[in-house]
Amino acid sequence: MPIISYALLLSRLNLQHLIIVKAFDRKLLAAPVSLKDGDRVLESGAGTGTWMLQLSTQVPSTIQIHGVDIAFRLFPAIYPTNMSFSIGSITSLPESWTSSFTFVHQRLLMGALTMTMWKAAISEISRVLVPGGWVEFVEAQASFPHVGTQSTKLAMFLVDMMRDKQLLVDCQIYIPIMLQEAGLVNIHSERRGIPFGRSAGQDGIDGSTNFAGAFVGMKAPMLQNGGYGYVQSEEEFDQLIADAKDEWLASDSNLPFYTIYAQKPL
Ligand SMILES: C[S@@+](CC[C@H](N)C(=O)[O-])C[C@H]1O[C@@H](n2cnc3c(N)ncnc32)[C@H](O)[C@@H]1O
């Protein structure tokens, strides 16, 4: 990836982290977990590790924070000594990790996991949690609000692409069910809205701009299959995103985000 595109991606993902955390009362986690010396935390699908880096400033350095991701390209170059990273799929974690993490955090994997993969990831997370440990998922609602013709078109386009790739549209509905099926308990789901309109000031501008930016990363899969009948070219795709963003900015809409947490039985 060209260095400027890489830098833009990093800054978009880091701004996205700040936007999401702000929407959840500036808290990095909602689960009622209390971390103590020697505990291990896992960031599942770590990306840039931005959540881990912020957590490391809020917990004692005696807590180990590990990030796993299928790709290493976004891992930070510099991080505290109680942080570490490894490459691997969250659908198949190392055997040696069984019953070793007090808390597992996973955010924004909605664009990567089919139903089968979600079930495998939840089963693996359950395995690597200590009895009594907690897992927390943070995900957006893929069928986001329609506030005009172009944002409606984009929303339908996204859902059609996700269904075609067997990705779980509106995974926030299924995660609690899958957690229950996997035997986890104390399952809670909380919803927040990330503002998209200019009426919300800088927060709304940041929300719309960041979400529009997320579609740049989805351009390649969305342009497959003849643009799913929604766009004919890259130029039309870019114009659709720009028009949808204008509609979001002119509206007072929110993008629903969910945090869903659950506990492994003692
Ligand atoms: C949208 S990014 C989210 C990154 C991070 N969780 C955050 O919120 O900033 C999704 C991440 O999941 C990773 N990923 C996708 N499929 C995965 C898999 N099967 N196992 C591990 N990581 C995966 C991608 O490489 C990417 O870094």
Side-chain angles (χ1 to χ4, degrees), residues 24 30-32 134-139 141 170-177 179 185-192 256-262:
F24 284 97
W134 292 84
V135 57
E136 183 159 347
F137 298 95
V138 178
E139 293 291 348
Q141 184 175 312
D170 290 335
C171 59
Q172 80 279 355
I173 297 169
Y174 299 100
I175 293 170
I177 299 166
L179 287 167
V185 295
N186 295 324
I187 302 165
H188 290 268
S189 176
E190 288 179 26
R191 181 186 191 275
R192 294 285 193 284
F257 256 79
Y258 292 79
T259 191
I260 301 160
Y261 58 87

Side-chain angles (χ1 to χ4, degrees), residues 12-13 16-17 20 43-51 68-71 73-74 88-91 105-109 112-113 117:
R12 193 191 71 71
L13 291 172
Q16 178 174 273
H17 164 77
I20 297 169
E43 171 73 324
S44 173
T48 61
T50 180
W51 181 88
V68 63
D69 199 290
I70 206 156
R73 69 187 176 122
L74 296 176
S89 176
I90 58 170
T91 58
H105 178 261
Q106 181 180 301
R107 188 173 66 187
L108 288 173
L109 268 286
L113 304 180
M117 292 166 86

Side-chain angles (χ1 to χ4, degrees), residues 22-262:
K22 187 170 184 186
F24 284 97
D25 313 321
R26 298 182 192 276
K27 289 185 194 150
L28 288 177
L29 54 131
V33 61
S34 62
L35 296 170
K36 56 185 187 322
D37 288 353
D39 279 350
R40 295 179 74 204
V41 172
L42 177 65
E43 171 73 324
S44 173
T48 61
T50 180
W51 181 88
M52 300 165 62
L53 284 163
Q54 198 175 349
L55 184 72
S56 75
T57 66
Q58 298 183 5
V59 297
S61 59
T62 49
I63 288 163
Q64 299 297 316
I65 308 169
H66 186 77
V68 63
D69 199 290
I70 206 156
F72 67 90
R73 69 187 176 122
L74 296 176
F75 289 167
I78 302 168
Y79 45 85
T81 51
N82 62 324
M83 269 175 61
S84 55
F85 290 90
S86 62
I87 301 167
S89 176
I90 58 170
T91 58
S92 175
L93 298 173
E95 281 305 313
S96 59
W97 289 5
T98 298
S99 299
S100 64
F101 289 95
T102 304
F103 183 61
V104 178
H105 178 261
Q106 181 180 301
R107 188 173 66 187
L108 288 173
L109 268 286
M110 57 190 278
L113 304 180
T114 63
M115 174 76 93
T116 306
M117 292 166 86
W118 270 105
K119 287 185 175 176
I122 287 173
S123 165
E124 285 294 81
I125 288 169
S126 176
R127 178 176 67 78
V128 303
L129 278 174
V130 297
W134 292 84
V135 57
E136 183 159 347
F137 298 95
V138 178
E139 293 291 348
Q141 184 175 312
S143 52
F144 51 87
H146 313 164
V147 292
T149 55
Q150 299 310 291
S151 53
T152 299
K153 182 174 170 180
L154 183 60
M156 291 166 63
F157 187 179
L158 178 65
V159 167
D160 280 3
M161 185 277 286
M162 287 183 75
R163 291 213 171 107
D164 179 55
K165 299 194 182 306
Q166 298 180 4
L167 299 169
L168 210 49
V169 176
D170 290 335
C171 59
Q172 80 279 355
I173 297 169
Y174 299 100
I175 293 170
I177 299 166
M178 293 187 286
L179 287 167
Q180 193 175 24
E181 285 173 358
L184 285 103
V185 295
N186 295 324
I187 302 165
H188 290 268
S189 176
E190 288 179 26
R191 181 186 191 275
R192 294 285 193 284
I194 292 192
F196 264 23
R198 253 187 226 97
S199 54
Q202 192 59 44
D203 284 355
I205 295 168
D206 287 345
S208 281
T209 305
N210 200 269
F211 192 59
F215 280 94
V216 175
M218 291 189 261
K219 189 184 280 190
M222 291 183 83
L223 285 175
Q224 284 170 3
N225 291 332
Y228 290 87
Y230 291 94
V231 293
Q232 307 298 320
S233 64
E234 196 171 332
E235 290 70 33
E236 278 187 36
F237 180 83
D238 292 343
Q239 192 59 53
L240 176 60
I241 306 300
D243 292 345
K245 181 180 158 186
D246 285 346
E247 290 181 1
W248 296 329
L249 283 168
S251 74
D252 60 359
S253 60
N254 289 281
L255 174 65
F257 256 79
Y258 292 79
T259 191
I260 301 160
Y261 58 87

